[in-house]
Amino acid sequence: EETARKHMRESALEGAEVIRVEAAEKAPRKTGTLAEDIQKEIKKQTKSRVEIHVGPGKKGWYGRLVEEGHAIVRDKKVVGHVSPKPFLRPAFDEKTDEAQDVIAAELRRRLKADA
């Protein structure tokens, strides 16, 4: 069971890398910090499922604000709005099929190696 969990975890991380790379390429590059800080992280794993989050790390904390847009507040008053500049959702939408193929191929490779 632990071997299967490890194979699932590592295969899922390989698939998440496809999306991480695409998100980093699509991230706005005003300073480059956001694009350089796109990370992948295992959030949850059960016997049959691995949940991996792809997104900005601590240095790129503001990535959600870029992705979704946000209000500009001064002296507790909304004085404007910054429109969204999605990069995570488009990366996910464009690369999901490729990521699934990578996961399946990596899992097959790992299971053959164990046989």
Side-chain angles (χ1 to χ4, degrees):
E1 186 175 301
E2 181 54 37
T3 301
R5 285 173 51 94
K6 181 180 181 201
H7 289 322
M8 281 180 39
R9 181 176 52 245
E10 297 303 320
S11 297
L13 284 168
E14 288 291 322
E17 180 64 11
V18 172
I19 295 170
R20 189 202 68 74
V21 167
E22 185 70 11
E25 287 179 16
K26 290 185 173 301
R29 284 185 162 62
K30 188 173 183 179
T31 65
T33 301
L34 180 57
E36 293 169 4
D37 196 40
I38 304 298
Q39 301 175 3
K40 61 186 179 197
E41 176 183 13
I42 296 173
K43 286 294 186 178
K44 185 177 180 182
Q45 183 172 1
T46 65
K47 289 181 182 180
S48 61
R49 182 180 165 142
V50 179
E51 183 178 317
I52 298 177
H53 288 197
V54 175
K58 289 182 180 180
K59 290 180 182 176
W61 62 268
Y62 54 90
R64 191 181 103 243
L65 300 174
V66 173
E67 178 82 9
E68 299 173 2
H70 60 90
I72 300 171
V73 179
R74 292 206 177 96
D75 297 325
K76 299 182 182 179
K77 293 182 181 178
V78 176
V79 297
H81 185 79
V82 175
S83 57
K85 294 176 182 66
F87 62 97
L88 287 170
R89 174 50 83 174
F92 178 80
D93 290 346
E94 291 172 22
K95 293 295 184 169
T96 297
D97 290 342
E98 183 180 336
Q100 288 174 342
D101 291 345
V102 167
I103 291 167
E106 182 64 15
L107 195 52
R108 278 192 297 273
R109 185 190 70 74
R110 288 173 166 277
L111 291 174
K112 276 184 184 175
D114 270 1

